[in-house]
Amino acid sequence: MLIVLFGLGSLASFIDSVVGGGGLISIPALLLTGLPLPMVLGTNKLAATMGSLTSTISFIRSGKMNVHLVRYLIPFSLIGAVLGSMTVRQLTTSFLKPLVIFLLIGVAVYTVFKKDWGKSSTYSGLTKKSGLISILVAFLLGFYDGFFGAGTGSFLIFAFLSLGFDFVTAAGNAKALNFSSNVASLVTFICLGSVSFLPGIIMGSAMVIGALVGSRMAIRKGSSYVRPLFIGVTIILIGKQLWDVLH
């Protein structure tokens, strides 16, 4: 089982390191261990935190991240993630699934038809209005990541593309915020006793490898690689959420 977790963890992180969606692979893999769902979610956060840290460092070193902007937004993402992780133990997440499907469809359709979107960066800084909206989005997506999580990477990348970033830098910025929300959720899950450390560290070690390969490939190949991967993973997420709703 640990070998299976290692193999699936590296595959999940390879995808997640660029556009998110790794939970589509890692959470079902952890469910195979027989752990209860709250423990699976917390253990997945441990592994995902290790992978997202690796991706974040890779993007920073390559210069494909606006460090000033993400440093400004991270505190709001952290607060949102803590509140989301605490709330998920009190409420069911099933009511969110239909809404998430419609939002993901909107993200996918917009990206497919806006063909030149994200090819080059037009970002020139935040205005007062865009700054306030960015704070709100960082908080809400941090909360969403701690509470439900499906599609967080897609929503974060879409938000940064809307600010004028190219696909690779949008992915780098998104990964930094995703890492911050992962850390906040992980600490919350640890405090609640919902983390199994052995499978989490085994899968996390694999995610470090997958994240190194995935993020470096994205940085090297650029937007022409990230854009179709982003669209593909978003469509798979839509299918997964539709399946969950129908069954």
Side-chain angles (χ1 to χ4, degrees):
M1 180 54 67
L2 292 178
I3 292 171
V4 170
L5 289 180
F6 192 91
L8 292 177
S10 59
L11 176 61
S13 186
F14 177 84
I15 298 168
D16 196 71
S17 63
V18 186
V19 295
L24 287 169
I25 299 171
S26 59
I27 290 176
L30 286 166
L31 284 170
L32 293 174
T33 64
L35 291 170
L37 183 58
M39 191 72 75
V40 165
L41 295 176
T43 304
N44 183 65
K45 282 298 178 186
L46 171 58
T49 299
M50 295 171 67
S52 58
L53 172 60
T54 306
S55 301
T56 299
I57 292 171
S58 295
F59 280 111
I60 290 174
R61 285 180 173 176
S62 70
K64 295 296 184 180
M65 183 188 294
N66 189 308
V67 177
H68 175 74
L69 176 60
V70 298
R71 196 168 54 186
Y72 170 73
L73 295 176
I74 277 175
F76 304 100
S77 180
L78 281 168
I79 294 169
V82 170
L83 293 175
S85 297
M86 294 173 67
T87 305
V88 75
R89 294 177 67 89
Q90 312 300 323
L91 299 173
T92 178
T93 62
S94 58
F95 72 93
L96 270 179
K97 291 180 180 179
L99 175 61
V100 169
I101 291 169
F102 284 112
L103 291 174
L104 286 171
I105 289 173
V107 167
V109 169
Y110 189 86
T111 307
V112 167
F113 285 98
K114 200 170 176 64
K115 296 186 181 299
D116 292 331
W117 204 39
K119 281 191 174 180
S120 58
S121 181
T122 58
Y123 175 77
S124 57
L126 293 177
T127 63
K128 186 175 181 179
K129 180 180 178 181
S130 64
L132 289 173
I133 293 173
S134 297
I135 288 172
L136 179 61
V137 170
F139 172 79
L140 290 176
L141 288 180
F143 181 90
Y144 173 77
D145 192 34
F147 183 72
F148 186 55
T152 302
S154 296
F155 293 137
L156 282 170
I157 289 174
F158 188 83
F160 283 114
L161 287 171
S162 300
L163 288 175
F165 289 100
D166 62 87
F167 260 103
V168 179
T169 308
N173 293 343
K175 189 48 60 180
L177 287 193
N178 194 218
F179 168 65
S180 69
S181 62
N182 279 342
V183 169
S185 296
L186 174 61
V187 171
T188 306
F189 277 120
I190 289 174
C191 291
L192 295 170
S194 295
V195 177
S196 181
F197 285 94
L198 177 60
I201 291 172
I202 294 294
M203 180 172 271
S205 301
M207 284 193 168
V208 168
I209 298 170
L212 276 173
V213 176
S215 56
R216 288 180 179 179
M217 186 174 292
I219 292 162
R220 187 173 69 250
K221 293 194 173 184
S223 296
S224 60
Y225 167 75
V226 178
R227 184 177 186 273
L229 185 62
F230 172 75
I231 294 170
V233 169
T234 303
I235 290 171
I236 292 171
L237 277 165
I238 293 168
K240 172 62 167 59
Q241 298 310 307
L242 276 171
W243 176 269
D244 289 347
V245 168
L246 294 174
H247 291 80

